[in-house]
Amino acid sequence: MPFEPNWMHCLIGSALSFVFAFTAHHWVCRRRFNRRNPHGVEIFRSYGHQWRARSAEQSVGCLAALAFFFALALILAAAGDYLSKHS
């Protein structure tokens, strides 16, 4: 018998995806904030450090956005599954 996800599995998956998206977004924002000096300018050790840091942060930000939209899609799937079984 193959595994068939139900609406509860979708809600759990969406909650985990939301947690990942929020944590990743918070991590990126915290890193950017901690790099700023009292005048509001970001400080980097070198140009290479700036390039690597911003590239990594953009990649994590894209993954966070994808996780957020995946969570929304799972919530819609859960709602559709719940309504189809309980109406």
Side-chain angles (χ1 to χ4, degrees):
M1 181 165 103
F3 176 74
E4 183 179 326
N6 62 12
W7 63 274
M8 188 57 73
H9 294 113
C10 290
L11 284 181
I12 292 170
S14 68
L16 292 174
S17 188
F18 271 131
V19 167
F20 170 76
F22 174 76
T23 304
H25 178 74
H26 179 71
W27 177 76
V28 168
C29 290
R30 188 182 70 225
R31 279 180 51 95
R32 287 180 183 162
F33 178 80
N34 288 336
R35 271 199 309 265
R36 296 190 189 279
N37 68 7
H39 301 289
V41 178
E42 287 187 80
I43 303 297
F44 295 96
R45 292 188 298 264
S46 65
Y47 176 75
H49 177 247
Q50 175 191 3
W51 188 84
R52 286 188 306 273
R54 288 193 175 163
S55 296
E57 289 169 356
Q58 287 176 348
S59 299
V60 171
C62 287
L63 285 175
L66 287 174
F68 178 76
F69 289 120
F70 180 69
L72 289 178
L74 281 178
I75 287 174
L76 292 176
D81 188 49
Y82 180 82
L83 291 175
S84 70
K85 291 181 180 177
H86 293 93
S87 45

